[in-house]
Amino acid sequence: MLELNGQYSARKYTAEIMNAIIKGKKVEHSAVVLFFTLQFLGNTEEGNLKYKSSVQRRLFLDNKKGPVFKPSKAQKLALSVAKINDELILEVSKNYKFIGIINVEEVQKKWRKLKGVLQESFTDLQTVIGDFDWQMQTENIQKIYRNDVFYNFFFSNFFYQEFNTEKSLEHKKILNNSIHNLDIPIIEKKTITQQDLLFQNITISTSAELDTQNELFPLEKMNVFLGSLLGTKGSKHSLDFKYDGFYKVKPRIGLITEGHLVYTFRIKDIYTKTTTINFNLEKDE
């Protein structure tokens, strides 16, 4: 059983989130790097954990993973909207599973202020603004954060759980915007695959399979999206899914020092989307 670090010191992380989408011969890339700190604040009244996430800087990366110093209009817009997430108070279970954000009203207030600026500066963003208005509604906001691809991976949900050599830890998850704008349910599995003699450094590998029996699996919507790409009906295409990642963990001090995940959804030669997430703890003392 792995114990979680309960120190109150702020720890520095860097993270990269990258997407590559192929539609026929068209290729789209997007990548961002985050520099942030995470600080344990104590417990909630319900006995869960509170963390403060503070983003110091965000940068877009080009296709060669170099920084983009002259962002496009769309990138500038994305960076502006992302600022509402600069200071978040996060609620996390004792197993280190992300539950949601605590400072909802503060985030909503930041969005309302930014919305006014955007409406004055851009006259062609009504659809985008409408989407964010929906996301920032109280009944929707927690779902948006809870299913975020980065939080889904970063908060690993394996502390204080029994690892078994005969069976993997299994958790159900939702991968947000996995195929186009569709959310796909999966069953994730975690196993200790490497450890040293003193159990000071271990590697936990993670894999997953599609949760096709889940009532949230969007088969009908996926077929509609496929039809829009094909232009014709009646052709059958299977969905290939690959999911492979790992965490580097120091059990003696209860910290994850590194994480890497790559997963791909592929529909024959029609559509492929690959998401890659990396994070590193800058200092582990």
Side-chain angles (χ1 to χ4, degrees), residues 60 70-82 122 125 128:
F60 275 101
K70 294 182 178 180
S72 65
K73 177 182 176 181
Q75 289 173 329
K76 288 179 180 178
L77 175 63
L79 291 173
S80 296
V81 173
F122 304 96
L125 293 178
V128 175

Side-chain angles (χ1 to χ4, degrees), residues 125-164:
L125 293 178
Q126 292 310 310
T127 300
V128 175
I129 290 173
D131 287 343
F132 275 102
D133 272 337
W134 181 87
Q135 292 179 29
M136 291 295 108
Q137 291 175 13
T138 302
E139 62 267 29
N140 299 325
I141 190 169
Q142 294 291 13
K143 178 183 175 182
I144 297 298
Y145 282 96
R146 197 178 297 123
N147 293 339
D148 180 87
V149 292
F150 178 69
Y151 292 138
N152 239 324
F153 180 60
F154 185 83
F155 294 100
S156 53
N157 193 18
F158 57 57
F159 287 96
Y160 299 104
Q161 301 206 40
E162 293 286 349
F163 279 87
N164 193 317

Side-chain angles (χ1 to χ4, degrees), residues 175 186 208-210 239-243 263-266:
L175 295 181
I186 64 168
E209 59 188 37
L210 296 173
L239 174 63
D240 293 323
F241 173 60
K242 293 182 179 180
Y243 186 101
Y263 60 88
T264 299
F265 288 89
R266 184 172 182 269

Side-chain angles (χ1 to χ4, degrees), residues 170-186:
E170 291 191 4
H171 302 117
K172 291 190 174 185
K173 285 187 172 184
I174 301 290
L175 295 181
N176 208 24
N177 296 327
S178 298
I179 301 174
H180 188 47
N181 60 353
L182 303 180
D183 302 338
I184 306 295
I186 64 168

